[in-house]
């Protein structure tokens, strides 16, 4: 969806001269349930730039143009099979001013301070939405990233913080979308995702027990080779993440189809894989994913 020059200038002018319009736009947003009529949900994720992730392989700054990011996100949200968006305050504010959040689920992003490649990467504290802002702005919930490296003590404060936010979100009856991932250190000293599925299963067990109540906790997890085993480690609803776009999008689509067969998998939360597809056609990639979420027939349970 193209943002016209007039609409773009209006957004920039509003931000400079009438910042209160953002709160007004958020308050006027038409809300809807998290789940569609079929019991599933499809959410576009666009909180990556806040962690310093503005590029893809071979395109180090492809996500650095805010107008382009918003246009791609609005193209995705225009698909009726997309139920909502998960983003940081700056992007949700822009989308609200552009009228793109009406009738969509809006989920905030709490902790983006674990900057990519930073010395403190696993100490990922609040830099985005607060639980109070989620309530005040009428948003539907908040997402938290929890990377656990048992050999790095910087994981501990993030575990404690996520438990606190989950408790506060549950008290406010708001969705707590938790992304628990095992991490390790590579030979160059960089923090990287641990591909060991045993480690992921353990992370799910840790995530299950965080907070004073698990009533509003949903888990955001990768579609691993043993996703059935991973999801068997929890009774909580699961949403499958997209991860880094690969060279063959059909591989990801097949992984998502298989994951949707699992009873407690309720949908997708995907960003870069769909907003920056290899063929450049955002609408087509999003439509394919929407069909997987909302037209996929589950087998016998």
């Amino acid at each position: 969806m193209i943002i016209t020059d007039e609409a773009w200038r209006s957004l920039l002018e509003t931000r400079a001269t009438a910042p209160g319009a953002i709160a007004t736009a958020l308050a006027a947003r038409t809300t809807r349930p998290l789940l569609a009529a079929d019991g599933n949900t499809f959410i576009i994720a666009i909180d990556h730039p806040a962690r310093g992730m503005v590029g893809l392989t071979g395109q180090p700054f492809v996500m650095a143009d805010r107008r382009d990011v918003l246009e791609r996100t609005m193209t995705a949200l225009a698909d009726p099979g997309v139920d909502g968006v998960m983003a940081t305050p700056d992007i949700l504010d822009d989308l609200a001013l552009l009228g793109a959040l009406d009738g969509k689920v809006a989920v905030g992003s709490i902790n983006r301070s674990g900057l990519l490649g930073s010395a403190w990467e696993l100490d990922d504290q609040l830099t985005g939405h607060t639980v109070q802002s989620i309530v005040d702005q009428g948003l539907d919930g908040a997402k938290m990233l929890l990377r656990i490296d048992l050999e790095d003590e910087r994981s501990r404060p993030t575990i404690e913080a996520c438990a606190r936010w989950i408790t506060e979100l549950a008290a406010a009856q708001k969705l707590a979308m938790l992304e628990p991932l095992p991490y390790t250190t590579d030979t160059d000293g960089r923090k990287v995702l641990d591909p060991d599925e045993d480690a992921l299963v353990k992370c799910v067990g840790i995530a299950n027990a965080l907070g004073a109540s698990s009533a509003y906790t949903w888990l955001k997890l990768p579609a691993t080779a043993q996703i059935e085993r991973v999801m068997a480690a929890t009774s909580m609803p699961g949403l499958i993440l997209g991860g880094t776009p690969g060279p063959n999008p059909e591989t990801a689509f097949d992984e998502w189809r298989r994951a949707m067969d699992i009873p407690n998998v309720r949908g997708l939360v995907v960003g870069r894989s769909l907003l920056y597809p290899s063929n450049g056609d955002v609408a087509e990639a999003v439509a394919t994913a929407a069909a997987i979420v909302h037209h996929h027939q589950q087998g016998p349970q």
Side-chain angles (χ1 to χ4, degrees), residues 24-69:
T24 300
L26 287 168
R29 178 177 69 94
T30 303
T31 60
R32 49 149 293 166
L34 171 63
L35 298 176
D38 62 2
N40 295 331
T41 192
F42 177 24
I43 295 175
I44 297 297
I46 185 60
D47 62 346
H48 312 87
R51 202 161 67 85
M53 299 173 67
V54 296
L56 302 173
T57 302
Q59 304 178 81
F61 289 95
V62 70
M63 299 178 68
D65 185 320
R66 179 50 56 92
R67 183 172 175 177
D68 180 65
V69 167

Side-chain angles (χ1 to χ4, degrees), residues 11 36 83-84 93 121 197 217 220 254 286:
L11 184 147
D83 299 290
D93 291 349
E121 189 165 348
E197 299 209 46
T217 303
K220 179 173 179 270
D254 288 342
V286 169

